[in-house]
Amino acid sequence: TGHKQVVNNAAIHSSSHTIMSAEKGAKIFKTKCSQCHVIDASNPTGHKQGPNLTGLWGRQSGQAEGYDYTEANKNSGFIWNEDTLETYLTNPKKAIPGTKMVFAGIKKAKERKALIAFLKESTSA
């Protein structure tokens, strides 16, 4: 039973780590993203300068209803998940040349990971 306990503790640690990351990610979203983006399921077509991110997770880029995306974004083929968000949030203009998102990216890997954990938690359908 000792081995089982270690596995359970690892699972608990992993789960609490994800929660901590998502909490940090919420703060990062507020400071770095909320000027242009909102996550508001009650008004999915209520966009700001950038699109409402409700339903982002698992959706193809350029598909939020009622938002005027660039052709580059609509045609990028990105499906939003951990990997594509890691690439995009590192350097949006490099990831999708022609995007109108005027954001240099998040250089710190821990901040990107936390923000991605928050986005997964808050934008999954």
Side-chain angles (χ1 to χ4, degrees):
T1 59
H3 181 267
K4 186 176 183 182
Q5 186 63 36
V6 170
V7 171
N8 288 343
N9 284 343
I12 290 166
H13 176 72
S14 175
S15 174
S16 66
H17 179 70
T18 301
I19 291 166
M20 291 295 289
S21 290
E23 287 174 2
K24 288 179 184 176
K27 291 176 185 169
I28 293 165
F29 182 86
K30 186 175 182 178
T31 60
K32 295 185 185 271
C33 312
S34 66
Q35 181 178 345
C36 297
H37 293 281
V38 64
I39 299 171
D40 182 2
S42 70
N43 185 13
T45 59
H47 304 293
K48 292 171 99 173
Q49 181 178 344
N52 183 335
L53 300 180
T54 298
L56 172 82
W57 200 262
R59 181 174 69 208
Q60 184 172 331
S61 63
Q63 303 298 311
E65 185 180 342
Y67 185 76
D68 185 27
Y69 289 96
T70 62
E71 288 302 311
N73 200 298
K74 287 190 271 190
N75 297 324
S76 73
F78 275 37
I79 304 294
W80 297 121
N81 59 40
E82 284 103 341
D83 294 334
T84 54
L85 283 165
E86 172 68 25
T87 299
Y88 188 73
L89 293 172
T90 299
N91 187 336
K93 291 194 178 295
K94 184 177 178 186
I96 301 179
T99 185
K100 63 183 173 183
M101 185 158 120
V102 291
F103 181 68
I106 298 173
K107 301 307 173 210
K108 295 180 181 175
K110 282 185 178 182
E111 286 187 7
R112 284 194 309 275
K113 185 174 182 166
L115 178 58
I116 292 166
F118 169 72
L119 291 171
K120 182 176 186 178
E121 182 179 279
S122 60
T123 69
S124 293

